[in-house]
């Protein structure tokens, strides 16, 4: 178990640029989640995959955001035309399917995005 | 809707003091409840969980009991250590797909 890996750890970009983050989940985990965390807040759900299927998306995920998990393994989160309000920590988490209520999330260390 | 409210911090305690961090929840269904902890420079990790009423989750000396009648899941530890300094998040999940987190409570334990 090597844990959930996220890349890069930090990203500074200018407003209007596109950015892409990568998440490698724990290898046997079917589920992969993206969360966003701003200063002083808890993680907020963005989207969730089960294998390669994106099953749920939050209202927070505007049309500038897109997430993929093409082979049911790693996932990417792209933000187009970044805005200063996108500055946050983007967290990836994965979990196995153990039944509906017994699958805690395993989080990566996050990607901190700063939009200038 | 589904939401979690936890006591605001920061909380500062002396080593060996008793810790309580309050957490209450609102849920549309029958949730599972969790406490996650984030140590400085690290990602969130599960501390403990409870999946049904009156269950007690425990780990590393921390405990929390799922109280359906008061919709609460308060975190307690009898004697905190400096190494417990971290941010603690209460969370719930109803469907197992979405997890709802509180805003976090920062704990600092001083020697």
């Amino acid at each position: 178990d090597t844990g959930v890996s996220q890349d890069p750890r930090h990203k500074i970009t200018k407003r209007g640029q596109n950015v892409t983050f990568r998440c490698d989940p724990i290898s046997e985990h079917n589920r992969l989640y993206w969360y966003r965390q701003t200063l002083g807040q808890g993680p907020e759900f963005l989207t969730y995959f089960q294998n390669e299927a994106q099953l749920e998306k939050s209202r927070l995920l505007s049309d500038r955001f897109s997430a993929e998990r093409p082979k049911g393994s790693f996932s990417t989160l792209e933000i187009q035309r970044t805005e200063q309000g996108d500055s946050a920590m983007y967290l990836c988490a994965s979990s196995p399917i153990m039944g509906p209520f017994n699958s805690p999330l395993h989080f990566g260390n996050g990607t901190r995005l700063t939009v200038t | 809707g589904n939401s979690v409210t936890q006591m605001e911090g920061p909380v500062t305690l002396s080593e060996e003091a008793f810790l309580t961090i309050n957490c209450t929840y609102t849920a549309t269904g029958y949730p599972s409840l969790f406490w996650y902890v984030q140590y400085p420079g690290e990602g969130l990790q599960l501390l403990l969980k409870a999946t049904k009423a009156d269950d007690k989750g425990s780990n590393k000396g921390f405990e929390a009991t799922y109280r359906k009648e008061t919709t609460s899941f308060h975190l307690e530890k009898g004697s905190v250590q400096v190494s417990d300094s971290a941010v603690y998040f209460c969370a719930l999940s109803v469907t197992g797909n979405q997890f709802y987190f509180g805003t976090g409570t920062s704990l600092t334990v001083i020697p």
Side-chain angles (χ1 to χ4, degrees):
Chain A
D1 180 352
T2 57
V4 177
S5 176
Q6 292 189 245
D7 184 68
R9 291 294 303 272
H10 304 275
K11 179 70 177 178
I12 300 174
T13 191
K14 292 184 177 180
R15 189 176 54 187
Q17 298 296 303
N18 298 344
V19 294
T20 300
F21 311 140
R22 177 180 170 123
C23 171
D24 287 89
I26 294 172
S27 58
E28 63 269 24
H29 286 186
N30 308 86
R31 292 180 172 173
L32 186 148
Y33 304 76
W34 285 99
Y35 280 79
R36 182 175 71 186
Q37 186 178 16
T38 54
L39 197 62
Q41 300 298 315
E44 297 173 293
F45 172 80
L46 292 179
T47 190
Y48 138 72
F49 292 84
Q50 183 159 307
N51 300 314
E52 66 275 11
Q54 188 174 16
L55 297 185
E56 210 163 327
K57 293 194 289 187
S58 163
R59 289 190 304 273
L60 293 174
L61 213 66
S62 76
D63 57 6
R64 297 184 298 106
F65 288 70
S66 62
E68 295 183 342
R69 194 182 183 198
K71 297 182 180 179
S73 57
F74 73 91
S75 175
T76 58
L77 177 68
E78 181 183 16
I79 309 174
Q80 296 182 326
R81 306 181 303 281
T82 53
E83 302 172 356
Q84 287 185 323
D86 297 331
S87 296
M89 178 75 85
Y90 289 84
L91 301 172
C92 178
S94 67
S95 72
I97 297 179
M98 294 169 58
F101 303 116
N102 294 304
S103 303
L105 302 177
H106 298 253
F107 281 90
N109 287 344
T111 293
R112 181 169 296 284
L113 173 66
T114 302
V115 181
T116 61
Chain B
N2 299 308
S3 66
V4 172
T5 302
Q6 60 182 107
M7 66 183 282
E8 293 189 12
V11 174
T12 302
L13 294 174
S14 297
E15 207 165 22
E16 299 183 3
F18 184 85
L19 168 71
T20 299
I21 301 178
N22 290 338
C23 171
T24 57
Y25 67 89
T26 303
T28 54
Y30 197 7
S32 290
L33 302 173
F34 306 85
W35 277 100
Y36 281 81
V37 58
Q38 187 170 29
Y39 298 104
E42 299 184 16
L44 280 84
Q45 54 188 275
L46 179 69
L47 180 60
L48 54 84
K49 68 176 184 181
T51 57
K52 61 183 187 296
D54 300 325
D55 266 4
K56 179 185 285 187
S58 61
N59 187 24
K60 299 182 180 180
F62 290 89
E63 294 183 338
T65 302
Y66 188 143
R67 300 288 189 199
K68 188 178 178 185
E69 63 276 12
T70 54
T71 61
S72 65
F73 193 55
H74 304 321
L75 182 68
E76 297 182 335
K77 186 174 185 182
S79 176
V80 293
Q81 305 300 313
V82 172
S83 57
D84 294 326
S85 298
V87 182
Y88 293 82
F89 293 91
C90 186
L92 71 83
S93 180
V94 176
T95 64
N97 299 337
Q98 279 207 34
F99 287 71
Y100 298 86
F101 287 83
T103 54
T105 301
S106 175
L107 169 67
T108 300
V109 180
I110 54 177

